[in-house]
Amino acid sequence: VEAYLTVLLQRELLGSVEERIKSAQSELESSRRMRESGVVLGSDYQAALSVLGAFKARKARLEAGLRSAESRLAVLTGRVIDASVVKGGLAPRELGLPSEAEDAVRLEVVEAGQAYEAARQSVLEVLRAEETVCRAAAGYLETLHGLALGWARLRLAAGAFDDRAVSELEKSLEAAP
């Protein structure tokens, strides 16, 4: 179960970073045009390039982490791991897990998104806000992973990780956004 949830976590973290990279590249292209016309400082543009580079480095680490998690799952299950084997996402509410941690992290993601909208005047501030959104989204996904994994471990320790529990877990993962 842990290996399966780790694959899901790595896939969702990677997707989140890929969204941030796409957005950051769009902002940088706009900034490049403004820099050429003298509206944006060259130093801001260079700092923004650095932030984009950090996103790309994070993406490379997540891709490696995903390959590692998929390999581990393949060894444990004896199956080739692809999208048909690992489906869904992380949705702990379907398991009846406490939502306080999830709600707190979700609020942080919303607040970071609001900061992003407020910072659109400066490319550097936009990319810093993107970085904050990325970190908040990663925290959210890691919280969901931890909750689902904790639920599964409790069921296993109680001797209640049976077919019904597996079905509940699969159902929650299929319902994830």
Side-chain angles (χ1 to χ4, degrees), residues 129-177:
E130 284 278 3
E131 188 173 31
T132 300
V133 169
C134 188
R135 270 191 257 114
Y140 172 73
L141 292 171
E142 288 166 355
T143 297
L144 295 180
H145 173 265
L147 290 170
L149 184 57
W151 177 87
R153 285 180 174 161
L154 283 173
R155 295 292 297 253
L156 185 61
F161 199 75
D162 53 12
D163 289 341
R164 182 171 173 252
V166 170
S167 176
E168 286 178 36
L169 183 60
E170 287 176 345
K171 182 178 170 186
S172 75
L173 297 175
E174 290 169 1

Side-chain angles (χ1 to χ4, degrees), residues 12-32:
E12 291 190 30
L13 287 171
L14 182 58
S16 175
V17 167
E18 287 172 341
E19 287 177 31
R20 301 281 71 80
I21 288 172
K22 187 176 178 180
S23 177
Q25 288 173 327
S26 173
E27 291 293 334
L28 272 171
E29 179 55 30
S30 173
S31 174
R32 183 192 57 75

Side-chain angles (χ1 to χ4, degrees), residues 52-100:
L52 178 60
F55 281 143
K56 289 180 178 180
R58 184 178 296 156
K59 178 183 177 198
R61 285 191 308 273
L62 289 169
E63 287 171 334
L66 176 60
R67 285 190 304 273
S68 173
E70 287 175 337
S71 294
R72 181 172 180 236
L73 184 58
V75 167
L76 292 171
T77 62
R79 297 173 66 183
V80 175
I81 304 303
D82 60 21
S84 67
V85 174
V86 181
K87 302 176 194 171
L90 300 169
R93 287 199 178 169
E94 299 293 323
L95 300 173
L97 296 172
S99 64
E100 292 82 13

Side-chain angles (χ1 to χ4, degrees), residues 27 31 34 40 44 118-128:
E27 291 293 334
S31 174
M34 292 189 319
V40 171
D44 278 359
R120 290 197 60 84
Q121 292 77 18
S122 162
V123 67
L124 182 56
E125 291 305 313
V126 167
L127 291 184
R128 284 182 178 152

